[in-house]
Amino acid sequence: MSAVRKPLDVAIIGAGFAGIGAAIRLRQKGIGDFALFERGERVGGTWRDNTYPGAACDIPSRLYSYSFAPNPDWSHTYSGSAEILGYIDSMVERFGIGPRIRFGHNVTALAFDEAAGLWTVSFAEGRPDVLARTVILASGPLANAGFPDIKGIDTYEGHKIHSARWDHDYDFTGKKVAVVGTGASAVQIIPELVKQAAAVKVFQRTPGWVLPRVNRRTNGLTKQLYRRVPVTQSLAREAWFWGHESVALGVVWNTPLTRVVESVALAHLRAQVRDPWLRRQLTPDFRAGCKRLLMSSDYYPALQSENCKLITWPIAEISPRGIRTAEGIEHRFDCIVFATGFEVSKQGTPIPVTGRGGRVLADEWRRGAYAFKSVTVAGYPNLFLTFGPNSGPGHNSALVYMEAQIDYLTDAIKIVLDGTARTLEPRQDRQDRYNRRLQRRLTATTWNSGCRSWYLTEDGFNATMYPGFGTQYARQLATVRLADYDLR
């Protein structure tokens, strides 16, 4: 379908944390001709989609928020999903982003017209194409919920729920429920399910390192102080940042501090789990940090509830009535909850992206995604990524990294729109050199130390994590160096 109206200066794909943050910074930098295209009917991204019981962030709220949009009214140290979604809504209203969002626009393809120097944004359901001088792909790594590839999953006749598509109409009272997975979502869901269901069985493939989570309520005096003296909230955020930054020494690299982290987790396990055999089942056989650290003070008690049982036998298949494990036992359930995460784009792309000369980004990323400083990709002019390849933190707030990306890409977009360059794309040699160095550094991290995790592709390529401190990541994005780019 042919494009309509004059080209936008900026098309933003997605209205989650990244898309809203990018829109705010564009407006603050004097760039006004932009639109956000959101496939859903409201903003929020992963926090709109994840509404399962107990859903919350495991990063303190002071740090899991933008420094350019502080919120003095967080109710607890760690906020629940509803409060985080309310924060995103408040940013939309506070900065006047609402009129720029086009809901119900499911982007199906991005294609670059080299002659015109423009991107064509295509949509589902016959909506007209849109042209844009620059594109911010802010769809996020946790946008597409994925059921696991388990034999027989489509034959199950009971109720099936994914953690990111929670069925709030289903009544768990008196039901026999299975939970598949023991990751970050599962440790929040399980304590809530054991309060409702008649019986809960938790299917664990590998145990994780679990640290205690102390969630204090924020008192009214603190909120008043933050509101009247904003610098105090900034100082609190800085304190949380440096506290988390120091944790990198124990979880990003295998150091003596890794043993400290493990000792804290093991002490937490011993304090909460009395049974030696259960403790053994819950003790990881990999270094802390190799997989995502879990934060919970009520997961272990929930597993020891009279109506809960941990199953460590591998799942062989899903049957019409339940789950059959490797030793041949069929466990029958009224409902199976899959707390199995998302289809993270470590390979391929969430939507087809065609760049200069007809090159296809999914083909180039087939063996693992890569970019220049996580934000731009050679061969795809004026295309900018948020939370792109190798921008994941293992120890600090994702929003610290995302904020650095947003400032960098909005500065780059301003260079294009101001006329310094019609198109801007990273030089191939600079991108190759950056990624060679990055992968060399990753070999020395805990993530590449031998465990299986969603950070890695099937052949062990790490396209997800950044091998360093948050300060290092932000420093490399402090300035757009034109020498790194081809300007056309």
Side-chain angles (χ1 to χ4, degrees):
M1 187 173 289
S2 60
V4 297
R5 74 182 289 273
K6 75 179 183 67
L8 288 166
D9 283 340
V10 190
I12 303 173
I13 314 303
F17 249 121
I20 298 302
I24 293 170
R25 296 303 274 163
L26 285 172
R27 171 158 282 185
Q28 290 176 336
K29 293 180 181 182
I31 300 170
D33 185 22
F34 63 84
L36 297 92
F37 299 98
E38 168 56 51
R39 68 184 179 185
E41 296 303 324
R42 65 159 302 166
V43 300
T46 187
W47 295 107
R48 172 198 62 212
D49 298 337
N50 283 272
T51 60
Y52 58 79
C57 185
D58 53 12
I59 293 290
S61 303
R62 306 286 167 218
L63 200 51
Y64 196 76
S65 51
Y66 287 126
S67 67
F68 54 78
N71 173 27
D73 294 317
W74 293 116
S75 66
H76 289 78
T77 304
Y78 301 91
S79 298
S81 62
E83 190 169 4
I84 295 172
L85 188 57
Y87 170 67
I88 298 173
D89 286 336
S90 72
M91 287 194 294
V92 171
E93 181 177 357
R94 175 179 170 187
F95 293 97
I97 304 301
R100 304 303 182 92
I101 305 173
R102 303 182 188 179
F103 294 107
H105 280 67
N106 185 17
V107 177
T108 57
L110 298 171
F112 185 69
D113 183 334
E114 195 167 355
L118 298 172
W119 283 93
T120 300
V121 184
S122 300
F123 305 94
E125 300 157 353
R127 294 187 183 276
D129 296 349
V130 168
L131 295 178
R133 295 178 66 185
T134 64
V135 172
I136 300 174
L137 187 54
S139 52
L142 305 181
N144 299 313
F147 284 97
D149 184 16
I150 300 177
K151 180 182 177 182
I153 191 170
D154 294 327
T155 69
Y156 179 61
E157 296 173 355
H159 201 69
K160 191 168 60 176
I161 299 176
H162 191 283
S163 59
R165 300 290 183 269
W166 198 260
D167 183 356
H168 292 276
D169 294 327
Y170 186 76
D171 185 5
F172 288 92
T173 305
K175 301 295 196 306
K176 294 180 179 179
V177 182
V179 178
V180 178
T182 52
S185 299
V187 300
Q188 296 176 345
I189 293 171
I190 292 164
E192 299 302 317
L193 285 184
V194 297
K195 298 174 185 177
Q196 305 173 52
V200 177
K201 288 186 178 180
V202 178
F203 290 80
Q204 172 186 276
R205 184 172 63 180
T206 53
W209 291 101
V210 181
L211 297 172
R213 178 175 176 265
V214 180
N215 194 19
R216 292 191 175 89
R217 179 178 293 277
T218 306
N219 63 54
L221 291 176
T222 300
K223 293 179 184 180
Q224 287 182 29
L225 179 64
Y226 288 161
R227 195 177 295 109
R228 294 176 182 176
V229 190
V231 68
T232 58
Q233 185 174 358
S234 298
L235 290 172
R237 177 187 168 89
E238 282 291 301
W240 278 113
F241 170 79
W242 287 109
H244 279 75
E245 192 76 332
S246 66
V247 174
L249 295 170
V251 300
V252 175
W253 303 280
N254 186 7
T255 72
L257 286 178
T258 308
R259 313 298 177 271
V260 174
V261 174
E262 292 173 353
S263 296
V264 172
L266 290 174
H268 179 52
L269 176 61
R270 284 193 298 269
Q272 291 201 323
V273 179
R274 300 289 179 146
D275 180 58
W277 176 242
L278 182 58
R279 281 205 304 267
R280 182 176 177 181
Q281 291 177 304
L282 293 169
T283 302
D285 61 0
F286 52 85
R287 289 298 177 199
C290 190
K291 300 179 75 166
R292 181 175 176 179
L293 292 175
L294 305 176
M295 303 283 291
S296 177
S297 293
D298 52 10
Y299 171 57
Y300 289 149
L303 287 180
Q304 298 167 90
S305 299
E306 290 185 0
N307 63 334
C308 189
K309 184 177 181 180
L310 180 69
I311 307 295
T312 58
W313 283 96
I315 295 174
E317 64 178 340
I318 294 182
S319 64
R321 296 187 179 184
I323 296 174
R324 186 174 290 114
T325 47
E327 86 280 29
I329 295 177
E330 182 182 60
H331 305 263
R332 296 185 176 183
F333 301 104
D334 300 301
C335 176
I336 301 177
V337 173
F338 291 91
T340 49
F342 297 81
E343 297 174 353
V344 180
S345 295
K346 301 183 290 284
Q347 298 165 291
T349 53
I351 56 176
V353 180
T354 305
R356 183 165 44 80
R359 60 201 295 173
V360 178
L361 188 54
D363 292 342
E364 299 186 33
W365 280 4
R366 195 173 302 279
R367 296 188 61 188
Y370 56 86
F372 180 64
K373 299 184 179 180
S374 312
V375 178
T376 55
V377 185
Y380 300 84
N382 296 354
L383 176 69
F384 303 93
L385 313 175
T386 62
F387 231 147
N390 296 112
S391 63
H395 64 287
N396 216 321
S397 171
L399 291 196
V400 170
Y401 289 60
M402 194 182 296
E403 189 168 323
Q405 295 162 18
I406 289 171
D407 279 342
Y408 182 87
L409 66 86
T410 50
D411 284 345
I413 287 172
K414 194 166 178 62
I415 289 171
V416 173
L417 300 182
D418 286 349
T420 302
R422 184 187 183 199
T423 62
L424 181 149
E425 67 172 286
R427 289 171 47 180
Q428 187 72 52
D429 61 327
R430 300 295 175 95
Q431 177 175 284
D432 292 344
R433 185 173 65 188
Y434 176 81
N435 282 282
R436 282 195 301 268
R437 182 169 178 265
L438 193 73
Q439 291 301 320
R440 280 198 303 269
R441 292 172 60 191
L442 279 164
T443 60
T445 65
T446 56
W447 308 311
N448 287 40
S449 62
C451 71
R452 290 180 58 188
S453 75
W454 63 269
Y455 301 150
L456 310 178
T457 62
E458 288 299 320
D459 59 0
F461 181 80
N462 193 331
T464 310
M465 308 303 284
Y466 177 75
F469 293 100
T471 46
Q472 290 176 299
Y473 185 83
R475 192 181 304 120
Q476 70 170 352
L477 293 176
T479 304
V480 180
R481 297 177 65 252
L482 295 184
D484 293 330
Y485 288 87
D486 283 328
L487 308 178
R488 298 172 187 267

